[in-house]
Amino acid sequence: MNQKATNYRWIICMLLFFATTINYVDRQVLSLLQPYLSEKFHWTYSDYANITSAFQLCYAVALLFAGRFIDWLGTKKGYSWALVLWSIGAIIHAFANRIGGALSPLFSALGFAMPASVIGFIFARIVLGAGESGNFPSAIKTTAEWFPKKERSLSTGIFNSGANIGAVIAPLSVPLIAEYFGWEYAFILVGLTGFLWLVFWRFYYDSPEKLLKKGKINKAEYDYIHSDTQEESVEKSNAKDGENDKNKVRWFRLLGYRQTWSFVAGKFLTDCVWWFFLFWLPVFLKSYYGMTGTQLMLPLAVVYTMTMVGSVGGGWLPTYFVNKGMNMYPARMLAMIVIALCPLVVLLAQPLSSISYWWPIVLIGIGTSAHQAWSANIFTTVSDMFPKKVVASVIGIGSTAGSISGVIISKAGGWLFDHYSALGHIETGYTIMFAFCAVAYLLAWCVMKLLVPKFKPITDL
């Protein structure tokens, strides 16, 4: 009667954390090596923007299908295949120049005149983007399966902090690997870590229903996981892992809900900020301070160490308001407006950059920390309002919008930096980009609040 609940769900959360860590190390290797690779292969800012945009565009398109793929195949198998693909994509960056040489005739025939190195890296980024698109839909769906609603923002914040850990590990390891073993091995060794994670995922993960039967969790934890929902469990609907759901909800139907568009708008207006700093911050440090290689290690590690505070703190903040007596949706929206005010300090990053590089580092660190706090909450709005069976699909739609905005900001950055660099005052380009990054979250919050002013869960799917 008073059986103490097991805590197996936190093991699952740790698996999501490590997968997200690997995910972000993989995608950041290129930006850390950009100062070296741009000189080796004579890239312009626009060349680099084309390479990063290829990843983001493929990521955006793949996200349209990733959520469906995970919903259809099941979390365990779907996550496994996604990780295998993105790990292969990470590894083949090491052979990008040779791949580009082989693909150059095809690109020329299609009317794209690009250096072989650019073509090769574009191809590698496309493969990486296709695989990495499965990470967040899988992780959010897993969270919906394994956690009650009141714990989802915290668990999302914990696994999402893997992005920050990955972003810290990358600058502390990638430049050293490149310096001692060569840039190719930075891609190869990082890519291989994904296959190690896969062993643990296949061994430890299954649905709560199946692990209850195996005795890995007890009835108390199972009941706690389902304590605040009357929905049919995901495990039952996916009892035959990989079988098509006869009542599959179509994308166009999901687009008919204001709740979907609220998530889409929030992701479109803010994801691009994270993409910009992830791919362009090393370029900023090189442009302003001449930093390359191991010189980037400490400042980038500081930025992304700061983001860990935001990721976990952002998941905790709405829970704090709930404990003060607020309902969940007002508490989450209050937390998000508080978070949206923090990136305004980025407005000072460029004006204060002449004093010391630590000024923009700390201010941008506050902005990226706020982004992760925002992400912990915006992802959870989906699992709060939608049935579990469509959570991954809605996440995929919104994340696609976020990736498209990443393509736009990357291309805009490449054009602005080439343009103002040619004019001799590249700082103007950074002023424009930083100004947008500072106000994006306030704008997103206002749009989301207009679309969904009050909590209204979807009950007719």
Side-chain angles (χ1 to χ4, degrees):
M1 294 294 292
N2 296 311
Q3 183 184 37
K4 184 178 180 180
T6 51
N7 289 297
Y8 197 90
R9 64 192 182 282
W10 296 108
I11 295 176
I12 300 300
C13 186
M14 285 299 100
L15 287 172
L16 302 180
F17 168 84
F18 285 115
T20 305
T21 300
I22 294 167
N23 184 282
Y24 267 81
V25 173
D26 283 342
R27 71 175 63 179
Q28 203 180 2
V29 176
L30 176 66
S31 64
L32 291 167
L33 298 181
Q34 187 275 345
Y36 171 79
L37 295 175
S38 63
E39 291 184 4
K40 178 178 176 63
F41 296 116
H42 309 291
W43 293 342
T44 64
Y45 289 115
S46 292
D47 285 334
Y48 178 62
N50 287 335
I51 294 170
T52 59
S53 295
F55 170 86
Q56 293 161 307
L57 184 59
C58 181
Y59 188 77
V61 173
L63 276 169
L64 286 172
F65 304 97
R68 285 303 231 193
F69 179 76
I70 301 302
D71 284 336
W72 168 71
L73 192 58
T75 311
K76 187 172 185 176
K77 291 181 180 179
Y79 214 161
S80 298
W81 281 110
L83 188 128
V84 167
L85 182 59
W86 96 53
S87 297
I88 291 173
I91 292 169
I92 64 175
H93 281 73
F95 312 99
N97 202 36
R98 277 174 278 180
I99 292 172
L103 294 176
S104 288
L106 175 61
F107 272 66
S108 297
L110 295 173
F112 297 103
M114 296 180 181
S117 63
V118 174
I119 294 172
F121 275 96
I122 285 175
F123 177 81
R125 298 307 278 182
I126 287 173
V127 177
L128 181 68
E132 290 205 347
S133 67
N135 184 69
F136 281 98
S138 296
I140 297 298
K141 185 177 178 69
T142 301
T143 301
E145 292 174 351
W146 272 93
F147 289 87
K149 288 183 179 180
K150 61 185 176 183
E151 286 187 347
R152 286 180 196 166
S153 62
L154 178 59
S155 59
T156 300
I158 291 172
F159 87 69
N160 197 40
S161 69
N164 313 319
I165 297 294
V168 172
I169 291 173
L172 292 178
S173 59
V174 170
L176 289 175
I177 296 172
E179 184 171 322
Y180 287 100
F181 300 103
W183 66 268
E184 295 94 338
Y185 282 94
F187 289 107
I188 292 171
L189 294 177
V190 168
L192 289 174
T193 59
F195 293 101
L196 177 62
W197 177 89
L198 187 61
V199 174
F200 291 91
W201 176 254
R202 300 296 295 178
F203 180 78
Y204 284 104
Y205 180 82
D206 223 320
S207 67
E209 185 177 67
K210 290 180 179 179
L211 291 184
L212 176 64
K213 293 178 180 178
K214 294 178 181 179
K216 298 290 186 179
I217 68 173
N218 61 17
K219 189 65 164 55
E221 182 175 16
Y222 182 84
D223 289 342
Y224 179 72
I225 291 168
H226 299 89
S227 60
D228 57 358
T229 178
Q230 299 300 318
E231 301 170 13
E232 181 182 7
S233 69
V234 173
E235 300 78 43
K236 185 176 179 180
S237 65
N238 287 334
K240 297 179 180 179
D241 196 26
E243 181 175 307
N244 281 315
D245 183 357
K246 295 180 180 180
N247 298 315
K248 189 180 294 183
V249 180
R250 296 184 178 276
W251 284 327
F252 286 112
R253 187 175 178 189
L254 294 175
L255 293 175
Y257 294 97
R258 294 167 69 91
Q259 291 88 336
T260 302
W261 287 105
S262 174
F263 180 68
V264 167
K267 293 289 283 180
F268 181 83
L269 290 168
T270 60
D271 271 18
C272 55
V273 178
W274 178 257
W275 289 116
F276 174 73
F277 287 129
L278 189 69
F279 291 141
W280 289 93
L281 186 53
V283 182
F284 167 76
L285 293 174
K286 180 188 177 184
S287 300
Y288 269 61
Y289 307 106
M291 292 183 176
T292 60
T294 54
Q295 294 173 322
L296 296 169
M297 292 171 60
L298 182 58
L300 293 179
V302 168
V303 168
Y304 294 111
T305 298
M306 292 175 68
T307 62
M308 288 187 285
V309 177
S311 186
V312 178
W316 165 84
L317 189 56
T319 303
Y320 171 80
F321 293 136
V322 169
N323 291 337
K324 291 294 184 180
M326 295 183 67
N327 292 327
M328 180 53 74
Y329 184 74
R332 198 175 307 287
M333 292 306 291
L334 177 57
M336 291 176 75
I337 188 60
V338 171
I339 293 164
L341 293 171
C342 296
L344 293 176
V345 300
V346 176
L347 290 169
L348 299 173
Q350 198 277 331
L352 297 178
S353 62
S354 59
I355 301 174
S356 166
Y357 68 82
W358 284 113
W359 278 100
I361 286 299
V362 171
L363 296 173
I364 290 170
I366 294 172
T368 55
S369 182
H371 176 86
Q372 292 300 80
W374 174 273
S375 292
N377 284 282
I378 193 171
F379 276 127
T380 313
T381 62
V382 178
S383 56
D384 283 346
M385 292 190 286
F386 284 89
K388 292 179 182 179
K389 66 180 180 179
V390 298
V391 163
S393 295
V394 177
I395 292 292
I397 293 170
S399 297
T400 296
S403 293
I404 290 173
S405 72
V407 174
I408 294 170
I409 203 169
S410 192
K411 292 291 288 182
W415 181 84
L416 282 171
F417 301 147
D418 274 335
H419 176 72
Y420 285 108
S421 179
L423 295 177
H425 46 90
I426 194 172
E427 63 275 4
T428 303
Y430 282 104
T431 298
I432 295 170
M433 299 302 290
F434 287 171
F436 171 77
C437 293
V439 302
Y441 298 87
L442 280 174
L443 179 60
W445 187 90
C446 292
V447 173
M448 292 178 70
K449 188 65 174 176
L450 284 171
L451 287 169
V452 187
K454 295 182 179 180
F455 178 64
K456 187 177 180 180
I458 304 299
T459 59
D460 58 346
L461 289 176

